[in-house]
Amino acid sequence: MSSAKGKGARIVALHLAVIAALFAVQFLLPAYHHGNLARIMVFASFAVGYNLLLGYTGLLSLGHAMFFAAGMYGAGLPLYYFDVGVLQAFGLGLLASFGLALSFGLLALRASGIAFLIVTLMFAQAFFLATLYFNEITLGDQGFVLSEQARTLTLGGVVMSFADPTVKYNAALLLFSCCMLGCLALVRSPIGRVWVAIRENEPRTRMLGYDTYRYKLLALVLSGVICGAAGAGYALLFAYVGSTFASIQYSIFALLWTLLGGVGTVLGPLVGAGLMFYLVDIAGDFTSSYLLVVGVVLLLLILWYPKGLLGSLRARWLPWLP
Amino acid sequence: MDFGPHLFLALLEGTVSAFVLAVTALGLSLVFGVMRVVNVAHGEFYMLGAVLAWWLTTLLAGSPMIGFGVALIVAPLIVGAVAFAADWLILRRIDYQPEATIVATIGMLYIIQQLVLTFYGPDARPVEPPFYFRVSFPWFGYSGYKLIVVGASALLLLGVWLAMARTKFGLYMRATQQNQEMAQAFGVPVRRVYAMVFALGAMLAAAAGVLVVPIQQAHYLMGLDPLLLSFIVVIVGGLGSLRGTVVAAFIIGLSDGVISVFFSPTLAKIIATLFVAMVLVYRPSGLFGQPEEEQ
Amino acid sequence: MTKNKGDKETTATPDAGVSRRTAFKTAGVLAGAAAAGAAGAFTPGAIIKSASAHQGDSANAIRIGLQVHRTGIGAAYGKWYERTTNAAVKLINSHGGIGGRPIELIIEDDRTDPKRGAEVVEKFALQHKVDFVFGTLFSHVVNGSAPRAGELKMPYFVVSEGYHVASGSLNRYTFQPGITDVRSQIKGISSWVLNNLGKNVAMIYPDYAFGYNHRDFFGAAVKANGGTVTASLAIPPTESSYTKFFAKIPSNTDLIYHVMVGPGVLTFVKEMGEHFGANRPELFGFIDSLEAVDMSIPGLDYLEGSHFWEAMPRYAASQNTIGANFYRAKVGVDENGASVDDSKDISTFSHMFGCWETLYAIKQAVEDSGYRDNTAKDKEALIETLENTRWYNEGIEHPQGHKAFNGKLHQCFGSQYISKVTDGKLKLVHTTSVEDGLYEPEADYTKMSL
C-alpha cells in the first residue's frame, strides 16, 4: 500500500513522463503528424482550461469559445496593428481573457446550474456578434493573417520564427505543459479540493464555511485565462485570427474533447483532443461521409465509456488518477 | 417607413417568430423538464421535419395543400419513431447520465446531419405553402401564410396543454417531472414515459419544422439556430413550466423584433442576447421555474 | 451540476448497465445506419477520390490537391467545384496531361472551416505530398489556410473571388488566376448600375467579409458617381427573417443593392416581394444570392425585371461561344445552367468555372516554366513564370472570357456580366471590359522573398 507521498510522487511522475514523451516523440514523428500534434496540443490546452471549470468545479459552460477568442484577438490585434513583440502580444492575450473572465464571472455567477449554462451561451453569442459588429477593427469573420515577421521572437540572440515547425511544436508543448501542470497543481491543492467539494455538494460546502462564490469566480477566471492562452497561442503559431473561433461550435468542441477524454481528469483533454482530431482525419480518408463515422464512434465510445476514456480508466483500474 | 407602421411590422414579425419559437421550444421543454437531459440533437429533429416535408410534398406534387397536410402528419411521426429508437438504443443504455447524454446527442447530431447531407444534399430547397396570399396593409404587404402559422402554432400549443392537463399520459409526465422516484413508487412506468416524452419532444420539433419550412427553406444546417433559441426559451421560461416556455418565447420573439426597430441589425441582436442573459442572472430559475429542489 | 434522481452513485461501481452484449447489439444497429449512410457516400465523387489515388502510381504524375467545401455552409458550391474539377482533370488527362504527365487529383474536405483548411493544407503538403493545392472559396477559409501554404512553400491557387489575394495580405505562393476578385467586379459594374438604375442606393448585405467588401467598394463607387447611400444594412448571419429590415429603407431610395447569400436567400426575396409589392425600387443583386437556386421557384418571380451581376452567364443563350458551350458540355450543365442529370439541380455557374480555368492556368505555368518536381528551384521558376503572365485568351481553357493577369497582385482581371431577369430567365444586357475592372494595385508580391 503506497503512502500518500508515494502516491503523490507517482502522479507527478506520470504527468512529467507524458510531457517528456511528447518532447521526445517530435524527433520520431513524420512531418505531417508532427504538425498535427502541435495543433492538438494547442487545442488540448483549450480543453484543459475548460475542464478546470467543468470537471473540477462542476460548472457547465457553452460559451468558452469567447475566452479562447479573447486571447486570440488580444494577442492578434496588437500584433497586427502595432507590431508589438511576440511575448507582449501573448501577455496582452492573457490580459484580455483575464478581463473578460473576471467581468463575466462577476456578472454571471449569480446564476448557477442550467441558468449559468445559458448565460455563458448568451454572452458568447454576444461576443461573437461583437467581433462582427466591430469589423472595421477585427475584420470580422474573414479575419486577418499575421505575417511571419510579426511572429518572430528574438531571445538572447536566438531568432525563433513561429513559422518554423520545430519552434511551433516546442512552443505548443510549452504552452500545453504549463497549462496541464498548472491544472495538476491546482486540483491537488486545497483550492482544488474545495472545487471538488463545490461540484459534489455546494450547499454543504457553503455550510462548512467556504465562500463558494469566491472559489467559483477563481475557477472561472483561471479557466478563462488558460483558454485565452490557448487562443493567443493559436494566433501566434498558426497566423490566423477570425470570428469563426468565437462561434458556438468551438465551445462545443471544448466540451466534446473534454467529455471524450474524461471529464475531471487532468490528461483527459489531451486524449480527447487528439482522438477527435485523428478520428475525423482518418475517417475522411475513407469516406466523404466522415461525420457519420465520427458520430457512430462517439456513440460507441460513450456507450462503453460513459465517463470518457480516462474517466472510465480511472473508475475501473486507476482510482488515483487526478 | 414611419415609426408607427415600422413598429407594427416589427410586432407582427415578432409574433410570428414567438409562436414558431414556442412550438419548437415546447418539445425541448418537455424533454428537459421531464427527463432532465440536454438533447443537443433537438435542432436536428426540427430540420428533419422540414426536410421530410420537402420530400413528402415533392412526392405528392399534385396539390400543395394535400401534400403539406400529409407532411404535417407523417413527418412528425417519422421523426418521433427515430427519436424513440434513439432513446431505446442509446439514451437508456447510458442511463440518462447528463454528460454522457450530451456526447451521445452530439453523436446523433453528426449522424443525422451527415445522413441528410448525403441523401438530401447541400442545397436549400423551398416548400410550397399550402396557401399563398399576400395581406396588404396600407404601409406594407405581409405574407398570409405567416399568419396561418400563428394560428396553427396556437392550436398545437393548446393541444399539448390539453394533453398535459387532461390525459393520463400527461399526468404521468407531470408526476415524473416533479419527482421521479415518487412517481415510480406510485406505479408510473418511468422508463416508458421517458421514451414517449423523448419521441413527443422530437415530434413537436418536427412539426415546427414542417410549419416553418414554407417560410424558410429546408437546409441540412438549419437546425442549429432553433436549437440555441429553444434552449434559451426553455431556461428563461423556467424548467418544467410549459407556461413559462410560451411566455419566454413571446418575450424573446417580440423583443428581438422591437429592438431591431431602433438599432442596426447586428447591434440589435447583441442587445437582445445580453438582455436574455441578464434576465437569467437576476432570475436564475427562470420566469416561472421552481428553484431546483434536488441536489 | 445537478444529478439526475435516477443516477447511480458515481464513485466506485463499474459502469452502470452496459453489458458487452447490449453494447454489441446496439453497435450492430448503429453499424447498419452507418452502412446506409456510407452507401450513399460511395458516390462517384468518393470513388474517384480513391481511384485517382492509384491512377498515377507512376512517379510521372503531377499530384494536385483540391481543397473543397464538401460539408459546412459552402457545401453547395463545393459539390460543383468538385464536379467541374473532375471534368477538367479528365479532359486534360485525355489529352496527355500537363506536359505529358497525367494529373493525379486528391480531394480533401475543409468543412468550410478556417481551422480545418489549414490542417488540410498541411495534410496535402506533408502526407499526400502534392505539387499544388487549389480550390478553396470562402474568404475566411482562405485567410485561415493561405498562411500555412506560404510557410510550407506550397503553390496555393485560390478560387475565391475575395479581395484577399490582391490586397497583399497573403503570401507569394498564393495566386488567384482563374476568377476575378470582388473589388474588380464592383468597379466594373458600378458605373453602369448607378447610371442606369438609380443613384440613391440602399445596401443590404451579410454582416461578414463578403458583405463588407460590397459595403466598402460599392459605397465608394456610389460617392464617386455622385449618388447617396440611403441605408446600409448589415444583416447578422444568424438572421432568418428579413421583413423587419426592409422597413428601414427610406422611401427616397431608387435602388436596392442586395448581396444576401446563404440558405435564407429565397426567404429574403419572398419577403422583399411581400413587403414592397408592385411599388418597389429598382433591384440589383449579385448572382451569389441565387447560385444553385432554381429561378423558376414561385416567389422568385418577384425578381422579374431586376438585374444581377454574373461572373459567367448561367443561361447559354447569353454566351454562345465555342469555349463556353464546350465547357458546359464537359461539366454536364444544360442551357439553363442545371445539371444534365436533373433539371432542378442548378449549378453554381458563376463560381465553378474558376476551378476549370485555374487548372488550365496551372497547366500553362508548369509547361512554360519547365517545372518538374517540388524543389525550391522549380517552384521559383513556376512562380516567376506566373508573375510574368499577362493575358489569358478566351476559349476552351478560359471559357468565362479574356483575362488580364497582374503578376504583382497575383490576381486576374476579366469581364463582368450584367443580366436582367426576363421571363424568369437571366438575359445578358451589358458586358464590361477587362479595363473597366482595373484598380490601382495596392500590393506587390514580387518584392517578397520565396
Side-chain angles (χ1 to χ4, degrees), chain B residues 25-204:
Chain B
L26 199 59
L28 192 69
S29 180
L30 288 176
V31 169
F32 223 166
V34 174
M35 297 166 73
R36 291 285 196 268
V37 290
V38 174
N39 177 16
V40 181
H42 183 77
E44 306 311 303
F45 293 136
Y46 169 93
M47 181 268 286
L48 267 180
V51 168
L52 285 170
W54 172 85
W55 178 59
L56 288 165
T57 51
T58 312
L59 229 53
L60 302 162
S63 148
M65 220 155 89
I66 296 184
F68 190 78
V70 169
L72 197 54
I73 298 175
V74 174
L77 284 174
I78 299 178
V79 175
V82 170
F84 191 88
D87 173 84
W88 176 64
L89 279 178
I90 301 159
L91 297 184
R92 186 184 296 197
R93 311 278 157 130
I94 53 175
D95 214 28
Y96 306 100
Q97 290 170 54
E99 288 132 6
T101 309
I102 294 177
V103 177
T105 49
I106 291 179
M108 280 161 52
L109 184 154
Y110 285 157
I111 292 176
I112 297 177
Q113 252 187 30
Q114 183 69 72
L115 283 174
V116 172
L117 177 61
T118 305
F119 289 108
Y120 173 77
D123 304 315
R125 292 174 216 210
V127 170
E128 285 283 341
F131 338 89
Y132 186 76
F133 59 97
R134 181 169 173 257
V135 176
S136 274
F137 293 105
W139 321 277
F140 56 82
Y142 201 70
S143 159
Y145 176 71
K146 281 192 191 175
L147 301 172
I148 306 268
V149 170
V150 168
S153 308
L155 281 175
L156 255 176
L157 290 171
L158 198 64
V160 173
W161 177 74
L162 279 172
M164 286 287 281
R166 301 284 156 88
T167 67
K168 187 157 99 168
F169 182 66
L171 182 64
Y172 283 172
M173 280 204 289
R174 281 181 290 136
T176 314
Q177 184 176 293
Q178 270 190 11
N179 193 321
Q180 190 213 5
E181 279 169 1
M182 195 88 99
Q184 211 158 17
F186 273 95
V188 172
V190 165
R191 276 292 161 94
R192 218 178 304 160
V193 170
Y194 274 16
M196 292 294 305
V197 165
F198 197 69
L200 183 62
M203 284 172 66
L204 283 169

Side-chain angles (χ1 to χ4, degrees), chain C residues 77 92 98 112 130 156 166 199 276 282 288 315 448-449:
Chain C
Y77 288 89
I92 294 176
I98 296 183
T112 326
V130 303
Y156 189 66
K199 291 208 193 219
F276 288 109
E282 287 284 356
D288 301 63
Y315 289 85
M448 296 185 190
S449 61

Side-chain angles (χ1 to χ4, degrees), chain C residues 381-413:
Chain C
L382 179 89
I383 288 174
E384 283 173 0
T385 302
L386 273 165
E387 289 172 345
N388 284 318
T389 306
R390 292 283 172 268
W391 189 259
Y392 294 111
N393 269 323
E394 184 270 332
I396 284 172
E397 299 191 356
H398 298 277
Q400 185 262 349
H402 297 303
K403 291 192 181 54
F405 186 78
N406 185 320
K408 294 193 181 147
L409 295 180
H410 284 202
Q411 172 69 53
C412 69
F413 293 82

Side-chain angles (χ1 to χ4, degrees), chain C residues 94-145:
Chain C
S94 71
H95 288 155
I98 296 183
R101 301 168 62 189
I103 298 177
E104 185 184 328
L105 184 69
I106 300 163
I107 306 180
E108 287 283 351
D109 178 10
D110 68 9
R111 313 216 287 261
T112 326
D113 176 44
K115 159 178 153 310
R116 188 64 194 153
E119 293 164 9
V120 159
V121 167
E122 219 164 290
K123 190 164 183 182
F124 274 134
L126 301 174
Q127 193 176 62
H128 297 306
K129 298 201 177 34
V130 303
D131 292 285
F132 315 116
V133 177
F134 84 108
T136 206
L137 163 59
F138 275 59
S139 297
H140 61 314
V141 184
V142 171
N143 275 349
S145 318

Side-chain angles (χ1 to χ4, degrees), chain C residues 320-337:
Chain C
N320 201 3
T321 60
I322 296 176
N325 291 331
F326 180 82
Y327 158 78
R328 237 178 241 267
K330 286 294 166 196
V331 176
V333 172
D334 67 17
E335 72 269 8
N336 295 321

Side-chain angles (χ1 to χ4, degrees), chain A residues 141 151 168 280 284 290 304, chain C residues 23 49 111 122 151 208-209:
Chain A
D141 73 305
R151 296 152 53 221
K168 209 183 281 201
V280 172
Y290 65 90
W304 284 10
Chain C
K49 173 174 122 167
R111 313 216 287 261
E122 219 164 290
E151 286 173 9
Y208 55 74

